[in-house]
Amino acid sequence: MSAPLFLVEALPTTDRHTLGGPEGHHAATVQRLRVGEPLLLADGRGGTASAEVVAVGRGTLDVRVTDRRHVDRPDPRLTVVQGIAKGDRGELAVQAMTEVGVDTIVPWAAARSVVRWRDGRGARARDRWAVTAREAAKQARRPWLPAVAGDPDESTAVVARRLAAGAAAYVLHEEATERLSTVDLPATGEITLVVGPEGGIDRAEVDTFTAAGAVPVRLGEAVLRTSTAGVAALAVLATRLGRW
């Protein structure tokens, strides 16, 4: 079993470090790490440090750093514009997409989104997505934390400008004729996927995104849920780009 990963604001610059706060509590009290066990420290920006527990306190661990390394940010970067979904489906999508390698997630207030994120509710909901992404990144031992970007209720017009600014953009749509498994991909830059909410993406939105340079694509014959479509699409891209 691989060593558990804990996030720190900055990697230690010396060979000894005390892991405290929520991460230290989780390591010492919840996971019950013991002297001699290995762990990883990560700053969420590509830096990681291998370490070994040398002492256990009340909600803290003293560790000895044995190795440091830095992983470059992935390129091309993978962004998913995720239609806001009801219930916990959005958080389920964020969790799974983080595990398979998404780099940025943008919540999108699609025309057919049942739930609307407005005022304080939107900020709280986006914060839950960010916490979900953080915990999933730790579980997956990712050196880079994905970003939850944009406004809590990013509009279609703003999403279209984002698509136009990237290297390539693809809209998952059941009526598309091109397949994500065979469409041309750029060698560098930002690749953006648009995933609709439970009710799908309406024709006006597809037209807006196509005008911004996006290509409608499909994964196969089956119509996937909003909580799984982005995950499946990212798996296709991760394979094609050599991440997997």
Side-chain angles (χ1 to χ4, degrees):
M1 184 176 177
S2 59
L5 183 146
F6 300 95
L7 290 168
V8 293
E9 287 297 322
L11 292 180
T13 57
T14 62
D15 291 342
R16 292 300 178 99
H17 177 73
T18 298
L19 181 65
E23 295 290 85
H25 170 78
H26 189 77
T29 306
V30 180
Q31 294 204 4
R32 296 181 180 274
L33 295 186
R34 294 295 177 253
V35 173
E37 291 192 88
L39 69 153
L40 292 171
L41 302 176
D43 60 11
R45 300 178 297 278
T48 60
S50 300
E52 179 182 285
V53 179
V54 296
V56 180
R58 187 184 295 273
T60 65
L61 290 181
D62 291 337
V63 303
R64 178 174 61 87
V65 176
T66 58
D67 181 57
R68 294 179 180 84
R69 69 189 184 103
H70 185 273
V71 178
D72 291 336
R73 184 188 292 274
D75 186 37
R77 302 183 308 281
L78 300 178
T79 294
V80 173
V81 174
Q82 174 68 52
I84 297 172
K86 63 182 179 181
D88 63 353
R89 291 179 182 175
E91 289 173 46
L92 290 173
V94 169
Q95 178 182 23
M97 290 191 297
T98 298
E99 291 176 1
V100 299
V102 72
D103 298 305
T104 304
I105 302 167
V106 179
W108 167 42
R112 295 178 181 171
S113 290
V114 175
V115 176
R116 296 293 171 179
W117 288 2
R118 292 192 176 98
D119 303 322
R121 178 183 181 181
R124 291 191 298 272
R126 187 176 64 173
D127 287 346
R128 287 196 298 272
W129 280 25
V131 169
T132 299
R134 175 186 174 92
E135 295 306 311
K138 289 169 57 179
Q139 176 66 34
R141 277 66 161 178
R142 289 188 54 178
W144 284 91
L145 282 180
V148 178
D151 292 330
D153 55 349
E154 198 92 325
S155 69
T156 296
V158 173
V159 168
R161 291 197 291 271
R162 179 183 289 272
L163 302 185
Y170 308 98
V171 181
L172 298 184
H173 195 266
E174 60 191 77
E175 296 178 4
T177 56
E178 292 199 58
R179 293 180 180 267
L180 185 60
S181 58
T182 57
V183 72
D184 290 339
L185 298 178
T188 188
E190 183 178 39
I191 297 174
T192 303
L193 289 165
V194 180
V195 179
E198 294 96 328
I201 304 175
D202 72 17
R203 174 50 59 185
E205 290 168 332
V206 173
D207 291 344
T208 298
F209 295 152
T210 301
V215 178
V217 295
R218 65 186 305 153
L219 291 169
E221 299 305 319
V223 178
L224 302 184
R225 288 179 179 271
T226 186
S227 56
T228 56
V231 182
L234 286 168
V236 171
L237 292 179
T239 302
R240 293 192 60 193
L241 295 171
R243 289 194 182 192
W244 288 12

